[in-house]
Amino acid sequence: QEVIRVKFKNDRIDKIFLAHVADPEDMELTDLKYEHIIQTNIFPAKYWITSDDKVGLAIENIKSELQQTIKRLKKDKKLEEAFRLQAKTDQDIEMMRQTGYCHGIENYSRHLDFRKAGAPPYSLLDFFKSKGEFLTIIDESHKRIQKSIYVSATPGKHEIEKAGPDNVAEQLVRPTGLLDPTIEIHPTKNQIAHLLENIKDRVSKNERILVTTLTKRMAEDLSEHLAEQGIKVNYLHSEIKTLDRIKILKDLRLGHHDVIVGVNLLREGLDLPEVSLIAILDADKEGFLRNYTTLIQTMGRAARNVNGHVIMYADKITKSIDNAVKEVLRRRKTQEIYNTENSIIPTTIIKEIGSFDLPISRNAANNLGNDNHDNGQDIINNRISKKSPSPNKETKSQKSTKTKRLQDSR
């Protein structure tokens, strides 16, 4: 990979240097050899970049809309909301003036694109339209894309109404004969101990586990607790950078991790045939992270393995749990009948991990085909050390607080 070093003098670019590195981790360990170059291409990290004159005009339009909204809020006696909106927008405007960008700039995209109020943002479909007739097949269609063949394990009301009763086709059987996972609902009492026992059982069979929590803090605390029990574990949530997420998931397949604990990223689009167990904590906390669609999508991550199993930790059966379980059992019954009639024996998907065209950790690359992995505590030690100055010297009070968050009785 290329490393570009830019030297400034009086706020102007003075010199540009270039170095090559095989692994980004080498940057911290090796003195790079730079060569002087005349020019290079550096692309913006954000796509909401536009010229200064357009930003200036957009800012005036933003200010105009702001005043209209502030006036309406004050009329409705929402003074606090008006004050907060004014302060936040003023801050964003100043950032745009100074840098051409602000955090959350996509919220001002209508003004930057000079679209009318209520008009949708430009997308890839607009490009397709400019080329004439086209057909788009969209996976995960419950995200609501128009003018498409809808493909989803959890079609929503929108897709079904658009398609009509005569245009819906179900594809429930698989060439491998794999069935939807079996489901177990377990009380929350002693849930962590029960989870640990099941994790160890799956690890002994060289299978992987995904665990979903409701909060980032819980994901981190549970990961730390499992690591202390000798489990090779890592956590995954929205604060983890995209490329780091890819590393973590590849490391899971390679066996550098046995368990991934996440919040809302372990749903659609993950194809991990090594995963045989899905554990859903607080499954009865009805809401976006535990609604029908999310439960179906999460449970589907175990449908790539012949030993696929789901454990939902819950003290009551919510409407979402009830409907999700019934739907999975309906699909499983259809699959079992088809397999019996056609003498098909379910087989786990065989998916080659392939060359490392996407980044993975150095340890995982070194351990490919090697069973001598690091202890689980080392895997997340780097992140734990960033969370507190002395992670290995917790006071009794700190340990008590963490234990309380993980208590089985919630």
Side-chain angles (χ1 to χ4, degrees):
Q1 299 184 31
E2 292 184 348
V3 178
I4 305 296
R5 181 181 176 185
V6 181
K7 183 179 180 181
F8 288 85
K9 185 176 182 180
N10 298 326
D11 291 332
R12 297 179 67 88
I13 295 177
D14 183 37
K15 295 179 180 179
I16 307 174
F17 301 91
L18 171 67
H20 294 277
V21 59
D23 191 322
E25 295 179 14
D26 290 339
M27 294 177 61
E28 301 178 2
L29 306 173
T30 308
D31 292 331
L32 300 181
K33 295 181 179 180
Y34 288 95
E35 58 177 304
H36 181 248
I37 59 176
I38 302 301
Q39 67 179 32
T40 187
N41 294 325
I42 300 178
F43 299 96
K46 309 293 182 181
Y47 56 85
W48 290 110
I49 301 292
T50 188
S51 58
D52 290 341
D53 57 337
K54 288 186 177 181
V55 170
L57 182 56
I59 286 175
E60 294 304 313
N61 292 336
I62 292 169
K63 290 168 66 177
S64 175
E65 182 183 358
L66 173 65
Q67 294 308 313
Q68 296 175 26
T69 306
I70 293 294
K71 184 177 180 180
R72 186 175 68 252
L73 289 173
K74 288 183 176 179
K75 183 179 179 181
D76 295 339
K77 301 189 182 304
K78 297 182 178 180
L79 302 182
E80 183 179 354
E81 289 85 345
F83 174 79
R84 292 171 62 184
L85 179 62
Q86 179 84 55
K88 178 65 170 66
T89 308
D90 287 344
Q91 182 184 29
D92 290 344
I93 287 175
E94 186 59 30
M95 283 295 295
M96 282 190 278
R97 280 202 179 106
Q98 296 292 331
T99 67
Y101 178 81
C102 72
H103 183 68
I105 196 170
E106 61 273 10
N107 295 321
Y108 303 105
S109 65
R110 180 176 75 82
H111 297 293
L112 292 168
D113 289 341
F114 301 100
R115 302 193 312 270
K116 294 181 179 180
Y122 296 113
S123 67
L124 188 60
L125 294 182
D126 294 297
F127 172 76
F128 291 156
K129 290 177 182 177
S130 69
K131 301 301 178 182
E133 293 186 0
F134 68 96
L135 172 67
T136 308
I137 298 177
I138 304 293
D139 195 9
E140 310 299 357
S141 67
H142 53 279
K143 300 299 185 185
R144 302 204 173 188
I145 307 293
Q146 296 183 355
K147 195 177 180 180
S148 311
I149 293 179
Y150 299 107
V151 182
S152 176
T154 53
K157 183 179 179 181
H158 172 79
E159 293 97 321
I160 293 173
E161 288 180 350
K162 283 286 185 180
D166 299 326
N167 295 304
V168 177
E170 284 192 316
Q171 184 178 336
L172 300 181
V173 298
R174 302 179 175 95
T176 57
L178 281 172
L179 308 174
D180 274 32
T182 54
I183 302 173
E184 171 187 351
I185 300 178
H186 191 279
T188 59
K189 185 177 181 180
N190 299 322
Q191 61 180 353
I192 301 302
H194 183 268
L195 173 61
L196 182 60
E197 180 183 344
N198 278 271
I199 287 174
K200 290 180 178 180
D201 176 62
R202 298 286 167 161
V203 170
S204 69
K205 301 173 183 176
N206 195 32
E207 296 172 352
R208 313 286 188 267
I209 303 95
L210 300 181
V211 182
T212 65
T213 67
L214 284 178
T215 66
K216 299 173 187 176
R217 182 61 179 272
M218 182 63 176
E220 295 177 7
D221 287 344
L222 180 57
S223 297
E224 185 175 350
H225 175 73
L226 293 176
E228 290 170 353
Q229 305 302 313
I231 302 298
K232 295 182 295 184
V233 60
N234 212 328
Y235 59 82
L236 193 69
H237 54 58
S238 59
E239 293 182 9
I240 307 300
K241 294 181 179 179
T242 301
L243 290 181
D244 288 334
R245 298 176 196 172
I246 297 171
K247 289 181 184 180
I248 292 170
L249 292 173
K250 276 206 167 184
D251 286 352
L252 177 74
R253 295 202 63 202
L254 290 168
H256 192 53
H257 310 317
D258 287 321
V259 181
I260 297 294
V261 183
V263 181
N264 191 34
L265 298 177
L266 304 178
R267 301 195 304 156
E268 303 100 339
L270 291 185
D271 189 7
L272 305 169
E274 295 82 5
V275 172
S276 68
L277 176 63
I278 304 292
I280 304 175
L281 300 183
D282 300 307
D284 55 358
K285 297 294 185 183
E286 188 79 76
F288 171 70
L289 293 177
R290 297 294 182 265
N291 63 22
Y292 168 81
T293 298
T294 301
L295 290 176
I296 290 285
Q297 290 285 349
T298 304
M299 289 190 287
R301 299 317 101 198
R304 273 76 170 169
N305 192 290
V306 70
N307 298 320
H309 184 64
V310 175
I311 303 176
M312 288 194 277
Y313 292 98
D315 291 326
K316 60 182 178 181
I317 304 299
T318 63
K319 182 178 179 181
S320 293
I321 291 177
D322 185 52
N323 290 337
V325 170
K326 287 178 179 177
E327 175 61 17
V328 170
L329 293 179
R330 180 188 74 85
R331 297 178 183 183
R332 185 179 173 89
K333 183 177 180 180
T334 300
Q335 294 157 355
E336 288 175 331
I337 293 173
Y338 182 85
N339 287 352
T340 301
E341 292 177 347
N342 293 275
S343 302
I344 296 176
I345 299 175
T347 307
T348 297
I349 292 175
I350 304 299
K351 180 183 177 183
E352 184 180 353
I353 297 178
S355 60
F356 304 126
D357 53 330
L358 294 174
I360 61 171
S361 73
R362 178 179 294 173
N363 283 339
N366 292 338
N367 286 328
L368 181 60
N370 182 356
D371 292 332
N372 297 320
H373 304 309
D374 293 335
N375 181 274
Q377 180 62 46
D378 296 330
I379 296 172
I380 62 171
N381 183 61
N382 223 7
R383 294 181 185 169
I384 295 173
S385 64
K386 293 178 181 178
K387 289 163 57 182
S388 61
S390 303
N392 297 322
K393 297 181 180 180
E394 291 181 314
T395 64
K396 290 183 179 180
S397 174
Q398 289 172 323
K399 288 185 178 180
S400 175
T401 301
K402 184 178 72 175
T403 301
K404 186 175 182 180
R405 288 196 296 266
L406 292 172
Q407 281 201 340
D408 305 327
S409 61
R410 294 188 296 176

